[in-house]
Amino acid sequence: EVQLLESGGGLVQPGGSLRLSCAASGFTFSYYGMNWVRQAPGKGLEWVSGIVGSGGTSVSAGYTHYVDSVKGRFTISRDNSKNTLYLQMNSLRAEDTAVYFCAKDLGRSGFSSLDFWGQGTLVTVSS
Amino acid sequence: EIVMTQSPATLSVSPGERATLSCRASQSISSTLAWYQQKPGQAPRLLIYGASTRATGIPARFSGSGSGTEFTLTISSLQSEDFAVYYCQQYDDWPRTFGQGTKVGIK
């Protein structure tokens, strides 16, 4: 059974940093792309960042992608030996306040929908 | 960035009736389109991928159609558990983008 468990959320002041983790189990983690998706209170879903897995082409494995609003502030990474996905968030702003979901790619190609999601971790940026 | 636009924002439907939700992409995305269902306090659930393929365990009353820029999610006979918010998402290009959602409520 696929499981994704996020942790690391909390209250942080504007300009501060936080690192989110997503512990994965139930599938060969390294093969699949992984993503972070966020949802501000009462708002819709926003894809934040993704990292390609090794199941696609060797050229694209490990490639990272970001939405423009977090480029230069957030860094996605993965530790395949620990089956864990990370999101390092620096220079946090009030508008980064949201529930952050970790989500797995359905396929290995790097172009895929998201078939499993964690329950989310809340990040609140406020003074 | 590919902009995804969903309509309507809100849809009121009686149980047992048909619901039709629309999603438009700002440029052609072939069939790289997914639909998700989200209930309050829960993570989204994948319903449809590849524009028309039901995900594992999704009932046959959910169907997806379309390609290019115009897509539709149809729920043939709404059940009580189907009242939720539905999002479309493109995965043709980075950044991945979601529509703003359609809330399906009880009429």
Side-chain angles (χ1 to χ4, degrees):
Chain A
E1 179 192 4
V2 172
Q3 291 192 5
L4 299 171
L5 183 61
E6 302 96 336
S7 60
L11 174 63
V12 61
Q13 292 188 340
S17 298
L18 215 53
R19 188 176 84 154
L20 305 184
S21 299
C22 172
S25 60
F27 64 102
T28 305
F29 179 73
S30 63
Y31 284 3
Y32 292 88
M34 297 295 296
N35 303 264
W36 290 99
V37 176
R38 67 185 178 185
Q39 187 167 38
K43 302 297 184 183
L45 301 173
E46 180 183 34
W47 180 88
V48 174
S49 182
I51 184 166
V52 179
S54 65
T57 67
S58 59
V59 173
S60 64
Y63 277 20
T64 59
H65 303 272
Y66 302 92
V67 68
D68 280 352
S69 60
V70 308
K71 280 181 182 175
R73 300 189 300 123
F74 289 11
T75 302
I76 190 172
S77 62
R78 64 193 300 161
D79 186 335
N80 291 333
S81 69
K82 295 182 178 179
N83 289 348
T84 302
L85 177 72
Y86 301 101
L87 186 67
Q88 177 68 44
M89 304 186 295
N90 299 331
S91 302
L92 282 161
R93 306 167 180 168
E95 54 265 35
D96 296 317
T97 294
V99 173
Y100 285 73
F101 295 101
C102 161
K104 169 190 167 290
D105 274 5
L106 170 66
R108 300 191 202 174
S109 69
F111 291 89
S112 180
S113 55
L114 307 176
D115 64 342
F116 285 96
W117 298 62
Q119 283 306 300
T121 187
L122 176 62
V123 172
T124 303
V125 184
S126 174
S127 54
Chain B
E1 170 176 314
I2 299 174
V3 177
M4 307 301 293
T5 303
Q6 291 185 241
S7 61
T10 304
L11 189 60
S12 294
V13 185
S14 298
E17 288 189 342
R18 181 187 196 92
T20 303
L21 289 66
S22 297
C23 176
R24 173 178 292 177
S26 60
Q27 65 188 67
S28 178
I29 58 170
S30 186
S31 296
T32 53
L33 188 283
W35 290 95
Y36 302 87
Q37 176 193 68
Q38 188 181 33
K39 297 178 181 179
Q42 296 185 15
R45 178 174 71 145
L46 177 65
L47 299 176
I48 301 285
Y49 64 94
S52 61
T53 303
R54 276 189 302 278
T56 302
I58 301 303
R61 64 181 181 273
F62 291 92
S63 63
S65 64
S67 67
T69 62
E70 301 285 342
F71 302 88
T72 300
L73 174 69
T74 301
I75 312 171
S76 60
S77 177
L78 269 154
Q79 306 297 302
S80 58
E81 61 266 31
D82 300 336
F83 293 99
V85 180
Y86 293 82
Y87 297 93
C88 63
Q89 182 220 4
Q90 66 81 19
Y91 49 94
D92 185 70
D93 199 6
W94 307 95
R96 307 303 194 218
T97 44
F98 288 90
Q100 78 278 21
T102 292
K103 183 175 182 178
V104 177
I106 301 175
K107 187 174 184 179

